[in-house]
Amino acid sequence: MDANSFAPPSRRISGAEDMRRLIVDKLVYSVGKDPEHSVRQDWSAALILAMRDQLVDRWMASTRKAYEQDQKRVYYLSMEFLIGRLLRDTVINLGLEEPVREALTMLGRDYEEILRSEPDAALGNGGLGRLAACFLDSMSTLGIPAHGYGIRYENGLFRQSLDDGWQAEEPEDWLNTGHNWEFERPEVVYQIPFGGSVGEDASGKRVWQASEVILASAFDTPIAGWRGNHVNTLRLWAARPAKRIDLASFNRGDYMSAMASAVRAETISRVLYPDDTTDEGKNLRLRQEFFFTSASLQDLLRRFLSTHKDLRQLPEKMAIQLNDTHPAIAVAELMRLLVDTHGIGMDAAYQITRNTLSYTNHTLMPEALERWSLTLFGAVLPRHLEIIRWIDEQHLRTAAAAQRSLDLERVRIVDHGNGNGHGVRMGHLAFVGSHRVNGVSALHADLMKQTVFKDLDAVYPGRILGVTNGVTPRRWLHSCNKPLSSLLIETIGEAWVADLEAIDAVEPFADDAGFRERFRAAKRENKEKLAAEIQQRLGLKVSPDVMFDVQIKRMHEYKRQLLNIMEAIAYYFAIRAEPEKDWTPRLKIFAGKAAPGYQMAKLIIKLINDVARAVNSDAVVGDRLKIAFIPNYNVSLAERIIPAADLSEQISTAGMEASGTGNMKLALNGALTIGTLDGANVEICERVGEDNIHIFGLTAEEVANYRLSGYDSRAVIESHPVLKSVLDAIGSGVFSPEEPGRFRAIVDRLTYDDYFFVAADFAAYLDTQRQVDAAFADEEEWSRRAILNTARVGWFSADRAIRDYAREIWGVDTPPPSAFAEAAE
Ligand code: 26W
């Protein structure tokens, strides 16, 4: 048989008529529906399958090339991938928008409506998960052979709704209508051992006798980059029991116990972030982390060994990136696989491991740095505990030699003290087991060296570096903001889509009145659309003429949605006191989910909604202030809000937001930022210029000093009458007359234990908001500054971030941006 016998009939399509035929073919033969009786879901499935067809041969070509050229590969291990919807991006990346639209018109279907019926894959929580998704896009665009590895959660992050203004949570059934992008790989299956004990065989070799084995089964989703030149794989693992049912119990009629071990196994890929406040929750979380890490490492070793013999070559042929501490167990698991399964010595295995792994840290908050009690860890992963103790010994020797004055207790991975740090410190493990450790903004990397990783930095100087986050311009401008994208392409060409720094070509147009008007028209179109959605979903009528002031992110006290709503209250009172004054009208938009167990964050959602109820129904106020909390924040909702934003709220307590990526997306879409000098805001400020951003509040250094010297929020409150009146109103039930004490806990927190410096920053925030008002009132000047924001944030592209990783961490080549400029011509 010659090679041509394998050549499949080509499915690549360019014209609308061919596209129509392919979609109908998919509808009939793959979805199994009669076009006459098909509903929207069926058409959506058919279109996705048609697009997937377009990806497959490119995907195989990419894989073939990686094997043939023996390219170095990147493996990105992440507990979260917030990919959202894939259809619009894929169609645009492949340059197939025109034929798809036309084909659907011929079929009497509406393209936009079909796009909306694709479920939003919410396999993540926040920025960390979205970053992983942006990075996959960029690695494909840059042609880096890469795999994303994660968990195929049956229920992703919960679906949020509002029940009388309170957050309500329901399971997100994103798989209900099938995930038509993926290919199930039933043959790709690995055994994941848990529990049991470790013994020795006759030769003295350590042998792990697990008490339970669960199977990890692969599902692959192709991820195309710009123009579809390279297609990578997102491989997600589903947990399966080794034995579906226990027949003996079944035959006895004991059906529950017959299924028990299957249920226990499948629980592992059931939900994202199970509540880990209970022991059972912690146990499940550790099992999830080991489950996907082990499956991924077994898989990449199998791939490596299919074409290589010598495992010492591993660091030359692959880079494994740990997205936060969640996959930190990879350090011990890679050692275990090398030593126990492949017979390599401990020292050599340790060296291979460190040279292959690197670790990204996404938060300095000590409570988010995972640690496991020795009891739990030893019960679930006894062999790994041995290996980690071995690593710890080497590490402590290095530490003692490097830094004589160091307190070794603080740097050890396995901590025996009884304090908070008791147990296995996963951040330390990830740090020690990696050759590079990166923060996600310049400030964050600096603070890592000064705070949580100070001692480890002294032992391993030069290991920490900063790689400032970035966002993909394909999704976060080109595909989500058609009006602006089209204007930009018409004005400066298309090069920026693949090389975002080229967007600086639009800077001179900031001084062109005609361009400013068109820029405003684009924003206006987006605002009208969002206004219609707000009216439809919340029953709230808002005017697209007012400033759209946006804070969209996870609900967390450090992000200070509370500061924002308190400012709204102050503004509300001021308007009521002087209704005749010339106020700059605003719509405050909030969206974000609170972790189900995070009571304070949930109370803040309720406060926002109670204040909204009072303000939105107050005839005196009218359009001058409206407040909208849009439920169920996810990637798709962000894609609709961001293009419509005028003002971007990035107001975290300085030193607490590692980077932020929403700040980049909003600035790119022409919103001005009001923000603290935190995370990547610092670098955004440097790039857009101080005149084009509204910075306020304490710096990270000032916050740190206050934490040392003590800070008396009560005195601050007493000395600021507006702040006092706002807190009095919240605390006395002005917004919750049916339950006056509802928000007492919030007021108490700010008065006695204002850990996030809300009171301290209130006055500066208020002042700055009034400056924003004045600036917005000058339409031409505001537009000029908005255009400068778009023009000057090109550096915050995920492509640039990936080039930095490739060069500084992975040792992987990437094509220069000029390669794309030529291709675009
Ligand atoms: C349960 C443990 C845990 C705690 C927090 C898991 C995950 C989280 C967050 C959702 C982590 C996260 O998203 N961090 C964000 O990462 C972004 C990408 O680097 C940064 O831009 C944000 O500043 C950071 O908060």
Side-chain angles (χ1 to χ4, degrees), residues 80 125-128 273 326 362 440 469 554 558 657-661:
E80 302 189 14
N125 208 341
L128 169 155
Y273 296 125
H326 318 143
H362 294 267
V440 289
N469 284 166
R554 286 181 292 125
Y558 86 77
E657 187 69 272
S659 165
T661 45

Side-chain angles (χ1 to χ4, degrees), residues 135 359-361 436-449 462-469 658-659 683 795 800-801 803-805 807-809:
F135 280 3
Y359 157 55
T360 307
N361 174 276
R436 283 282 182 277
V437 177
N438 78 286
V440 289
S441 69
L443 175 66
H444 173 58
D446 269 355
L447 292 175
M448 280 167 69
K449 292 183 205 162
R463 189 171 291 190
I464 299 180
L465 76 163
V467 179
T468 302
N469 284 166
S659 165
E683 291 153 89
W795 187 78
R800 187 271 316 150
R803 287 180 201 282
D804 289 352
Y805 278 88
R807 193 181 56 249
E808 311 274 339
I809 301 177

Side-chain angles (χ1 to χ4, degrees), residues 421-441:
H422 185 65
V424 187
R425 297 163 163 165
M426 300 308 273
H428 280 34
L429 177 63
F431 192 111
V432 172
S434 296
H435 63 289
R436 283 282 182 277
V437 177
N438 78 286
V440 289
S441 69

Side-chain angles (χ1 to χ4, degrees), residues 381-400:
L381 301 170
R383 175 65 180 135
H384 296 79
L385 189 54
E386 283 185 359
I387 293 172
I388 291 171
R389 286 188 197 282
W390 182 91
I391 295 173
D392 214 8
E393 271 173 40
Q394 321 294 310
H395 159 56
L396 287 176
R397 267 202 294 276
T398 311

Side-chain angles (χ1 to χ4, degrees), residues 363-377:
T363 179
L364 299 171
M365 275 184 287
E367 68 271 21
L369 284 172
E370 291 179 305
R371 355 189 108 140
W372 303 110
S373 80
L374 289 176
T375 321
L376 169 64
F377 202 94

Side-chain angles (χ1 to χ4, degrees), residues 357-628:
L357 297 180
S358 41
Y359 157 55
T360 307
N361 174 276
H362 294 267
T363 179
L364 299 171
M365 275 184 287
E367 68 271 21
L369 284 172
E370 291 179 305
R371 355 189 108 140
W372 303 110
S373 80
L374 289 176
T375 321
L376 169 64
F377 202 94
V380 179
L381 301 170
R383 175 65 180 135
H384 296 79
L385 189 54
E386 283 185 359
I387 293 172
I388 291 171
R389 286 188 197 282
W390 182 91
I391 295 173
D392 214 8
E393 271 173 40
Q394 321 294 310
H395 159 56
L396 287 176
R397 267 202 294 276
T398 311
Q403 291 283 322
R404 284 158 180 281
S405 58
L406 204 66
D407 176 359
L408 290 183
E409 284 308 310
R410 290 210 307 257
V411 293
R412 52 190 319 151
I413 302 168
V414 183
D415 177 74
H416 301 268
N418 293 318
N420 270 341
H422 185 65
V424 187
R425 297 163 163 165
M426 300 308 273
H428 280 34
L429 177 63
F431 192 111
V432 172
S434 296
H435 63 289
R436 283 282 182 277
V437 177
N438 78 286
V440 289
S441 69
L443 175 66
H444 173 58
D446 269 355
L447 292 175
M448 280 167 69
K449 292 183 205 162
Q450 287 167 35
T451 61
V452 281
F453 295 118
K454 186 169 194 262
D455 300 317
L456 288 173
D457 181 48
V459 180
Y460 305 99
R463 189 171 291 190
I464 299 180
L465 76 163
V467 179
T468 302
N469 284 166
V471 303
T472 166
R474 270 76 60 188
R475 181 172 299 237
W476 295 111
L477 178 51
H478 187 46
S479 94
C480 77
N481 192 345
K482 193 84 196 252
L484 180 55
S485 169
S486 306
L487 174 61
L488 288 167
I489 290 173
E490 211 180 292
T491 313
I492 58 168
E494 205 188 45
W496 59 269
V497 180
D499 173 17
L500 191 58
E501 289 181 64
I503 204 170
D504 66 357
V506 80
E507 175 152 353
F509 291 90
D511 293 320
D512 174 337
F515 182 81
R516 287 201 299 269
E517 196 176 323
R518 298 182 71 194
F519 190 88
R520 272 199 300 278
K523 181 66 74 182
R524 167 86 192 194
E525 192 180 330
N526 298 325
K527 288 168 77 172
E528 279 170 6
K529 257 206 203 142
L530 184 61
E533 177 170 352
I534 291 173
Q535 161 123 44
Q536 195 236 325
R537 285 183 62 187
L538 310 185
L540 177 67
K541 199 169 156 37
V542 299
S543 159
D545 294 324
V546 310
M547 183 201 307
F548 280 23
D549 167 351
V550 165
Q551 188 171 23
I552 48 175
K553 46 186 82 240
R554 286 181 292 125
M555 297 297 300
H556 201 291
E557 285 167 284
Y558 86 77
K559 295 178 185 278
R560 301 199 294 192
Q561 283 94 352
L562 182 56
L563 181 60
N564 189 350
I565 195 67
M566 284 166 56
E567 190 274 330
I569 295 171
Y571 199 50
Y572 173 51
F573 289 166
I575 295 170
R576 285 208 54 128
E578 289 181 89
E580 301 312 319
K581 224 176 119 177
D582 187 19
W583 303 100
T584 301
R586 279 198 198 220
L587 166 65
K588 281 208 178 258
I589 297 172
F590 292 87
K593 295 177 184 176
Y598 192 170
Q599 294 313 322
M600 185 54 92
K602 290 173 131 178
L603 191 59
I604 292 169
I605 293 179
K606 174 62 172 161
L607 175 64
I608 293 170
N609 284 308
D610 278 358
V611 175
R613 179 180 57 182
V615 170
N616 295 344
S617 63
D618 192 327
V620 175
V621 175
D623 270 349
R624 283 170 287 196
L625 181 61
K626 288 269 184 279
I627 298 170

